[in-house]
Amino acid sequence: MDEGKEMFLIKEGNELRGEIEVYGAKNAALKIFAASILFNEPIIVKNVPEIEDIARCKELLEFMGGRVQNTGKREYKISSNLINSSILEPKISKSMRSSIVFTGPMLAKFDKVEFPHPGGCVIGERPIDVFLEGFEKLGAKITIQQNGYILEAKKLRGAKIIFKKISVTATETLMMAAALAEGKTILYNSALEPEIPALADFLNSCGAKIKGAGTYKIEITGVKNLKFKNPYVIIPDRIEAGSFAILAAILGKEIKITRCEPNHLLVFLEYLKYVGAEIEKGKNFLKISSPKKLKSIDVKTREYPGFPTDLQAPFVALLTQAEGKSIVTETIFEGRLNYIEDLNRMGAKIMPCDPRRIIIEGKTDLRGKEMESPDLRAGLAFVLAALCAKGESIIHGVYKIDRGYEKIEKRLQKLGADIERIKS
Ligand code: EPU
């Protein structure tokens, strides 16, 4: 990882056109890497995005004795059956929130897992109470130490778990833990994100008994072990597709977004249509053009299928180019409006109302500036803003964007964008 040394140099955007392909979903791939721990043999995964977070998962598994081999383009063989430690390496875990997902399979497979409080993008407090309550229900003993947590259980037992908060990763983590537990588990008030049924489908194809993934009630009947059968193909990244759709709505002339799953973006696409984007939807593609004028709209982020929090910052970049006043409310992560000062320095008119709400007055002419990505999605919002700003912008902290978007500059260059990765 090249923390902080690389930056993007972006010059005023031309009209963008052409095709851009969506890669495998970061937030699905990470969970499959974690799920590999449940197996007694290697698993093979395809369509894995070549992003920083995947590199960190590889390190995390290898630190415990597992082996992760790149066996082809975006294909990995993951041998977590070689794991011989129950410690999630603290430095890696702290740098990646999704390291918490590894705790479920670790506890299901071994008697114990030790891990620090997980870190990741600084977008809010990000507690893990929902996970701990779930593990306790499954019969785990929890020891809280100064530097983290130890979970122990000779055998997990099925239980009824009612999530007090909807959490994507808690749903996935406990679903995986319950897959090898004794008896039946019911997860109530589960998250509905498409990555969850994708994970359940994979586990079921290997012998797990999971019903209802993708609904609020998931029933898992524990099995003794799982048996890997066929290489698993990661679903397309809906957030990447949505990010490209926003770019197309700002600067695009018939941009075709290929290998995506438009059905995972239905509500988001309604918003995009409302602001004026011209959208043609196919089975696995989207064709989007920017309208003459973009219209303002009020947005509240919601759990799936609502407007995704991961597209909030990129959409705000779009709203700086829309005529009129928009109000954006972030309901999922309280720290996710931490980028507006930089957009204002570029010439945007964004007023904070409270820690979760902003008013955007558009349309504003943006000017290129030097900025630091605060997190993955806000970093992408800066790229979009810079592409429609007059002059030159420099975006530092590119590694944060690399956490979730594979070689974004190369893919945008193909559409005609003037963006370059340079060393500082
Ligand atoms: N929460 C708690 N306690 C918990 C767990 C969650 O209070 O024990 C709170 C969170 O602080 C937050 C809310 O519940 O306010 C929802 O968080 P959730 O747990 O659903 O988020 P997550 O599972 O940590 C995943 C994605 C995020 C995405 C969110 C929401 C992964 C690895 N991450 O996070 O993706 O924003 O769901 O859809 O799947 C990203 O890709 O940039 C990203 C941050």
Side-chain angles (χ1 to χ4, degrees), residues 26-217:
K26 163 176 92 76
N27 289 343
L30 297 174
K31 320 308 167 47
I32 302 291
F33 270 58
S36 68
I37 298 169
L38 296 168
F39 291 82
N40 297 326
E41 63 274 323
I43 69 164
I44 293 169
V45 195
K46 293 174 180 248
N47 201 29
V48 177
E50 305 282 357
I51 52 175
E52 274 299 329
D53 272 12
I54 289 294
R56 287 186 209 182
C57 279
K58 177 175 184 290
E59 283 175 26
L60 197 61
L61 290 172
E62 291 187 333
F63 183 84
M64 294 187 289
R67 195 189 306 148
V68 182
Q69 292 157 281
N70 202 184
T71 43
K73 201 163 167 58
R74 300 201 183 86
E75 184 186 289
Y76 287 86
K77 178 175 175 190
I78 311 172
S79 310
S80 293
N81 50 317
L82 303 175
I83 286 179
N84 54 23
S85 157
S86 55
I87 301 173
L88 296 187
E89 204 281 319
K91 202 162 159 239
I92 308 168
S93 307
K94 279 194 192 151
S95 70
M96 183 173 69
R97 165 79 181 179
S98 51
S99 60
I100 184 77
V101 179
F102 288 70
T103 59
M106 284 297 289
L107 194 60
K109 201 69 199 307
F110 307 101
D111 296 351
K112 187 176 165 192
V113 56
E114 217 175 307
F115 62 102
H117 192 83
C121 281
V122 187
I123 55 177
E125 222 176 86
R126 311 190 84 175
I128 62 163
D129 51 326
V130 173
F131 296 77
L132 297 180
E133 284 160 17
F135 282 130
E136 211 157 33
K137 280 265 166 67
L138 293 178
K141 177 175 154 236
I142 300 169
T143 311
I144 302 178
Q145 299 178 308
Q146 207 185 356
N147 302 328
Y149 309 82
I150 302 176
L151 308 180
E152 288 166 288
K154 281 265 171 287
K155 183 75 196 158
L156 294 173
R157 288 187 211 300
K160 183 171 179 183
I161 298 172
I162 303 171
F163 294 121
K164 65 174 188 284
K165 237 184 175 174
I166 301 177
S167 162
V168 177
T169 40
T171 303
E172 294 162 328
T173 304
L174 290 152
M175 187 168 92
M176 287 192 275
L180 296 184
E182 211 170 82
K184 192 190 245 189
T185 298
I186 294 179
L187 304 178
Y188 200 81
N189 198 24
S190 299
L192 310 181
E193 272 68 1
E195 293 75 25
I196 298 168
L199 174 61
D201 286 349
F202 167 61
L203 296 175
N204 284 339
S205 75
C206 302
K209 290 194 174 146
I210 303 172
K211 279 201 302 198
T215 74
Y216 68 90
K217 185 179 170 194

Side-chain angles (χ1 to χ4, degrees), residues 320-321 343 346-348 361-368 388-390:
T320 67
Q321 302 307 297
L343 289 187
M346 293 180 83
E361 283 212 40
K363 169 186 184 188
T364 42
D365 291 328
L366 302 182
R367 299 174 299 274
C388 60
K390 288 240 163 359

